[in-house]
Amino acid sequence: VAIGMVVSAEIAFLMGLCDETCVREHYDFVQATGLPAFVPSSLTIDDVLYKMSFDKHHVKKPTMGLPSTMGTFAKNDDSFAFEVD
């Protein structure tokens, strides 16, 4: 979950939904708790995509809630879900 929070912030930044401060706050929060903040180097992108295919939010494409600020989800029309390529 902790790694997913940071990854969600990184994706939100790449999609223009949040700023660098939001991303940094996610890293700071996760690291302050002592939980892992980075995907282990032993995992490839294919490993991550494969695992995501089992997530309950994966329909045709991975779907995620993405932050606009720390603790606030970005709104996508009438939903908080964003398809992620």
Side-chain angles (χ1 to χ4, degrees):
V1 172
I3 293 171
M5 288 174 57
V6 174
V7 169
S8 293
E10 291 277 8
I11 291 170
F13 176 73
L14 292 173
M15 293 177 66
L17 300 171
C18 75
D19 60 19
E20 290 181 23
T21 299
C22 177
V23 176
R24 187 177 58 255
E25 289 173 341
H26 278 77
Y27 277 104
D28 291 347
F29 176 79
V30 169
Q31 290 174 324
T33 65
L35 294 169
F38 299 94
V39 175
S41 60
S42 60
L43 292 178
T44 67
I45 188 66
D46 288 334
D47 294 332
V48 173
L49 292 173
Y50 177 74
K51 294 283 188 189
M52 286 179 74
S53 71
F54 293 99
D55 187 274
K56 64 183 176 280
H57 302 293
H58 187 282
V59 183
K60 294 178 184 172
K61 294 182 180 179
T63 304
M64 303 172 77
L66 301 173
S68 55
T69 61
M70 183 67 167
T72 305
F73 281 113
K75 188 97 161 133
N76 187 14
D77 295 325
D78 62 343
S79 170
F80 293 103
F82 290 84
E83 285 187 351
V84 179
D85 289 324

